[in-house]
Amino acid sequence: MRLILLGPPGAGKGTQAQRLVDKYGIPQLSTGDMLRAAVKAGTPVGLKAKAVMEAGELVSDAIVNAIVAERFDQPDCANGFILDGYPRTLAQADAVQAMLSERHAELDAVIELVVDDKILLQRIAERAEKAKAAGQPVRKDDDPTIAPERLREYYKKTAPLTGYYYAKGMLESLDGMADVDTVTAAIEGILGKVVKAA
Ligand code: AMP
């Protein structure tokens, strides 16, 4: 199963991806998590990405494509993966297509979580509050001064991907405002059809 979860920051992609990991036994590939790990470890990629991420902007396609290509070749991706937060630009969407073709693999589904912008900013603020209350570090880009920039980046650069995948006949859009279990059930309904058709 090779799946892309699309949707703006705070749409619930990460939460849903984690649930699918357990059910399908395939890894969640979150480029945000990979980049945060690189920043924490102080790798060359991390050093380049840090300021861009903290400003709520997108890291360059070249950097992100390279880390994903490397990840695809790890053994746990042999049976598939859930892409969470990647691709985020049309160039990344072309790159993922090329990476899969090289590996004689195909995407099974692209699922978009559709959410209300005002709620997104609220959810991001809540995530920051929860982390703070739990004594965990708060993501700099969850700060209310930065989160709107992430949303702008989404509309400028990522939203066109829905048209890209729609044109390929692959896009399935779901109401991401529904409660978490309802969204999971809807995703599983789509994936059930994909598995049966394969
Ligand atoms: P996320 O955890 O998915 O919200 O990602 C956090 C930040 O990492 C984003 O705001 C970007 O700065 C960077 N990032 C994550 N994924 C990508 C991507 N596919 N392309 C470019 N930048 C990314």
Side-chain angles (χ1 to χ4, degrees):
M1 169 78 60
R2 295 179 194 84
L3 166 70
I4 291 177
L5 288 180
L6 274 183
K13 301 185 298 295
T15 305
Q16 294 300 331
Q18 276 163 21
R19 292 177 157 213
L20 299 171
V21 164
D22 296 334
K23 172 143 183 164
Y24 294 94
I26 50 176
Q28 167 193 14
L29 305 191
S30 155
T31 41
D33 285 350
M34 294 181 213
L35 289 166
R36 277 186 288 278
V39 169
K40 201 167 168 199
T43 65
V45 163
L47 293 176
K48 278 190 204 146
K50 188 171 188 279
V52 180
M53 291 172 75
E54 285 180 358
E57 293 165 10
L58 292 190
V59 175
S60 79
D61 291 330
I63 289 183
V64 181
N65 290 338
I67 58 175
V68 173
E70 201 180 306
R71 188 67 184 84
F72 273 2
D73 289 328
Q74 290 176 13
D76 63 335
C77 291
N79 294 324
F81 42 72
I82 304 148
L83 289 173
D84 158 16
Y86 179 89
R88 249 171 156 110
T89 63
L90 289 168
Q92 291 177 19
D94 284 338
V96 76
Q97 190 60 51
M99 283 177 218
L100 291 174
S101 302
E102 274 168 28
R103 290 161 179 79
H104 308 289
E106 278 177 20
L107 274 178
D108 294 298
V110 179
I111 299 180
E112 177 197 17
L113 303 181
V114 180
V115 247
D116 182 312
D117 291 346
K118 279 199 201 111
I119 303 288
L120 288 176
L121 292 175
Q122 237 171 357
R123 279 190 188 176
I124 294 173
E126 277 165 19
R127 182 162 70 187
E129 285 304 319
K130 256 194 213 157
K132 212 159 132 191
Q136 291 163 352
V138 178
R139 280 175 54 171
K140 287 218 171 85
D141 59 352
D142 275 353
D143 190 277
T145 59
I146 305 293
E149 178 57 24
R150 290 166 62 205
L151 209 50
R152 275 194 289 277
E153 283 283 84
Y154 175 80
Y155 282 111
K156 266 193 287 185
K157 298 176 182 166
T158 311
L161 295 186
T162 54
Y164 175 98
Y165 287 113
Y166 177 78
K168 286 179 182 282
M170 297 198 71
L171 186 73
E172 298 275 357
S173 298
L174 292 181
D175 176 13
M177 303 294 295
D179 67 73
V180 180
D181 289 340
T182 307
V183 177
T184 307
I187 293 176
E188 288 179 356
I190 291 168
L191 297 181
K193 278 190 237 151
V194 170
V195 172
K196 267 191 215 129

